Amino acid sequence: MACDIEKIEDNEKEKPNIVIQLNTLGLDELVSLTLKLEEEWKLIKKNYTILEGAIVTYDKCKNSVKQLNPSKYKSKNYNPFMNELEKSDLIKLTNENTTTDNKTEQTEKTEQADTEKKNEPLDIHIPLTSLVYIPGKIVDTENFLVHMGTNYYVQRNSDQTIEYFDNKIKKLNEKIKKIKVTLIEKRNEIELCKHYIQIKRGQQMNEANQNPQTASVRSTA
C-alpha cells in the first residue's frame, strides 16, 4: 500500500493549459475556483480514508481465518488470552529455563493437542448489539460465508476465503495508489490558484498605489 509520495510530487509538472486558463480568470473567479478545488480535495481525501479502513478490515478478517485454523496456517491460537500470555515475561523466563528435550516434547504435545482439538467447537460471544452478547460456538472453522455485496453470500473454504481477502486488499491498494496521485495533482492545482490569487491582489495594490485618486473615487462611490 505504501506509495512514494515525495517521488510523485517531484515528477509532477504544472500543465500549460491550466496556467493559460488561470491567467484569463479574475480575482473573484480564482477564489471561487480555489474553494471548489479544496472541496473536491476533501472529498477525495475522505474516500482515501475509507479505502484505508477497508484494507484494515479485510486484513483482520484474513487473520481471523488463519487464527481459526492455527495448525494449518501456523498462526497463533484464536484464544486472545493465550496469545497475550505467550508474550509475557513469565512464559519467556520459563522457556529460557527449559531444556531442548523438554521443548521438543512440549512441541509434540502441543501439535497432538491441536490435532485432537481441530474439530472441537470454539466458544465465542456473539454480538447482538454493541453492548449485548450471547454465548455461541464455532463448529466449522474450515468453511465460511463470504459477503460478496448486495446481501449476496458465497460459501468458501479457508484457502478460498484468504485468497478472496488478498485479492480485495490488492485491488484496494491499487485504487489508493491512484488516489494518492490524484490528491497530489489536486493539491498542486490549489497551490497554483493561490499563487495567481496573490499575483492578482498584488496587481490591484500596484494599480491602487499608482492611481491613488482613482482608488479614492472608487472607494467613495
Side-chain angles (χ1 to χ4, degrees), residues 17-18 58 66 106 113 145 153 162-163 165 169 190 213 217:
N17 58 337
I18 295 179
Y58 283 129
K66 291 182 178 181
Q106 185 178 3
L145 287 176
Y153 293 82
I162 291 175
E163 182 181 1
F165 288 134
I169 292 173
I190 292 172
Q213 294 180 353
V217 171

Side-chain angles (χ1 to χ4, degrees), residues 2-19:
C3 179
D4 194 348
I5 298 180
E6 295 181 356
K7 185 177 180 180
I8 295 176
E9 289 177 337
D10 293 336
N11 293 333
E12 281 295 312
K13 297 181 180 180
E14 296 178 357
K15 299 180 181 179
N17 58 337
I18 295 179
V19 176

Side-chain angles (χ1 to χ4, degrees), residues 89-137:
D89 294 334
L90 178 62
I91 296 296
K92 292 179 182 178
L93 181 61
T94 304
N95 289 338
E96 289 175 358
N97 296 330
T98 305
T99 61
T100 305
D101 294 337
N102 290 337
K103 287 182 179 180
T104 304
E105 183 180 356
Q106 185 178 3
T107 302
E108 292 176 353
K109 289 182 179 180
T110 302
E111 292 178 353
Q112 183 179 359
D114 290 340
T115 304
E116 293 176 354
K117 294 182 179 180
K118 183 177 181 180
N119 297 324
E120 291 184 3
L122 298 174
D123 294 327
I124 61 170
H125 286 87
I126 303 173
L128 296 181
T129 66
S130 59
L131 298 176
V132 179
Y133 293 79
I134 60 173
K137 292 181 180 293

Side-chain angles (χ1 to χ4, degrees), residues 18 23 26 33 38 53 78 101 118 129 157 160 201-202 210:
I18 295 179
N23 279 331
L33 177 60
E38 287 178 342
Y78 188 75
D101 294 337
K118 183 177 181 180
T129 66
N157 59 34
Q160 292 172 333
R201 286 175 176 171
Q210 292 175 0

Side-chain angles (χ1 to χ4, degrees), residues 164-179:
Y164 169 78
F165 288 134
D166 284 336
N167 291 335
K168 295 292 288 186
I169 292 173
K170 181 180 178 181
K171 291 180 180 179
L172 289 177
N173 281 331
E174 292 175 354
K175 289 183 179 180
I176 282 181
K177 187 175 181 180
K178 294 179 181 179
I179 289 179

Side-chain angles (χ1 to χ4, degrees), residues 1-5 8-9 12 41 44-45 48 51-52 173-187:
M1 184 176 66
C3 179
D4 194 348
I5 298 180
I8 295 176
E9 289 177 337
E12 281 295 312
W41 185 90
I44 297 172
K45 181 65 176 178
Y48 174 84
L51 291 179
E52 275 193 328
N173 281 331
E174 292 175 354
K175 289 183 179 180
I176 282 181
K177 187 175 181 180
K178 294 179 181 179
I179 289 179
K180 281 183 177 180
V181 177
T182 305
L183 284 172
I184 294 171
E185 291 176 347
K186 195 67 64 176
R187 175 54 61 185

